[in-house]
Amino acid sequence: MNNGKITVLLVDDHEVVRAGYGQVLSGAADIELIAEAGSGEEGYSAYVTHQPDVVIMDISLPGISGIEAIRRITAREDTARILVFSMHEDTVFVDQALQAGALGYITKRSAADTLVEAVRTVAGGQRYLDAALAQTLAMEKTRGRSNTFSDLSTREFEIFCLLAEGLQTNAIAERLSIAPKTVANYSTQIKYKLGVKTHAEIAHLAIRHGLIRP
């Protein structure tokens, strides 16, 4: 904390969005926005530089996704407190974000005071989920339902989304800073787990579940 305030890093690729949410955060007397970033890579670097109490992370970012950025931050510092603030409302993203190490998840349709409340809760080391998402997750667990992608690791889900967007092996390898052979191995494992054989089937599966737009 800085002067008793909760320090926050805001990661979102839209400058206007950052400005709007920055005003919301600045309106809270106990919260201070100390840094912003427009990509996952910038978010990771800003975390290392500023060591904020809370990171507010979007998922859809240029370069590496928010989920991959979360994975990298928590791999470096397992006590990092990260709140996902995303347009994605499908519980598959909630599961993957929490698996990657996020402590909270709310949607961008949430009221402004929800963001402030979530930041305070996560800063205190407690989990915070959007009320509607929490209810959906609870219902799914009660019914014993697991989502289609629950068997994928965070890295596999990351690569699945990139394959669904049409990226080739070398492009994915470059974006994630891993070897093309590693990407190919992951691709094989992803297809096996999801019961698909081609990249086209991966894209159709992602579209059907609303993970990408057709």
Side-chain angles (χ1 to χ4, degrees):
M1 295 204 178
N2 185 15
N3 296 323
K5 293 188 176 183
I6 300 167
T7 56
V8 172
L9 161 63
L10 176 59
V11 186
D12 192 291
D13 61 327
H14 295 99
E15 188 173 348
V16 174
V17 172
R18 294 201 306 272
Y21 293 133
Q23 287 186 337
V24 171
L25 296 169
S26 297
D30 58 338
I31 297 175
E32 181 180 1
L33 179 62
I34 60 169
E36 299 179 17
S39 70
E41 290 89 344
E42 290 177 3
Y44 175 80
S45 295
Y47 177 82
V48 173
T49 300
H50 298 281
Q51 294 290 301
D53 297 316
V54 175
V55 180
I56 300 176
M57 180 77 70
D58 194 4
I59 285 181
S60 299
L61 297 167
I64 64 171
S65 74
I67 288 177
E68 173 63 12
I70 293 168
R71 194 189 68 80
R72 293 187 185 185
I73 290 172
T74 54
R76 177 186 176 88
E77 182 57 69
D78 60 7
T79 58
R81 293 169 179 176
I82 303 174
L83 169 67
V84 173
F85 193 41
S86 172
M87 60 176 280
H88 293 294
E89 300 181 22
D90 194 300
T91 54
V92 62
F93 287 101
V94 183
D95 284 337
Q96 289 294 331
L98 296 179
Q99 186 177 328
L103 196 54
Y105 194 115
I106 61 175
T107 71
K108 289 185 175 179
R109 293 205 299 179
S110 302
D113 58 352
T114 299
L115 175 61
V116 172
E117 180 184 358
V119 168
R120 289 170 177 158
T121 302
V122 169
Q126 297 179 306
R127 176 166 291 182
Y128 189 102
L129 293 180
D130 177 277
L133 290 176
Q135 183 176 23
T136 301
L137 282 170
M139 288 176 63
E140 289 179 353
K141 289 181 179 179
T142 299
R143 295 171 181 171
R145 173 180 169 246
S146 60
N147 68 63
T148 304
F149 309 99
S150 58
D151 288 338
L152 298 185
S153 67
T154 54
R155 175 65 94 185
E156 288 169 344
F157 183 71
E158 171 87 357
I159 292 174
F160 167 82
C161 290
L162 295 175
L163 289 170
E165 291 172 8
L167 271 69
Q168 299 301 311
T169 298
N170 287 342
I172 295 173
E174 183 177 354
R175 181 176 294 194
L176 299 181
S177 302
I178 58 180
K181 183 178 180 180
T182 302
V183 175
N185 290 339
Y186 273 119
S187 178
T188 299
Q189 188 68 9
I190 289 165
K191 290 173 183 175
Y192 172 76
K193 287 185 176 182
L194 297 178
V196 298
K197 296 181 179 179
T198 67
H199 288 187
E201 288 179 316
I202 284 177
H204 291 155
L205 187 62
I207 291 169
R208 189 161 73 246
H209 286 269
L211 303 185
I212 62 172
R213 295 178 181 177

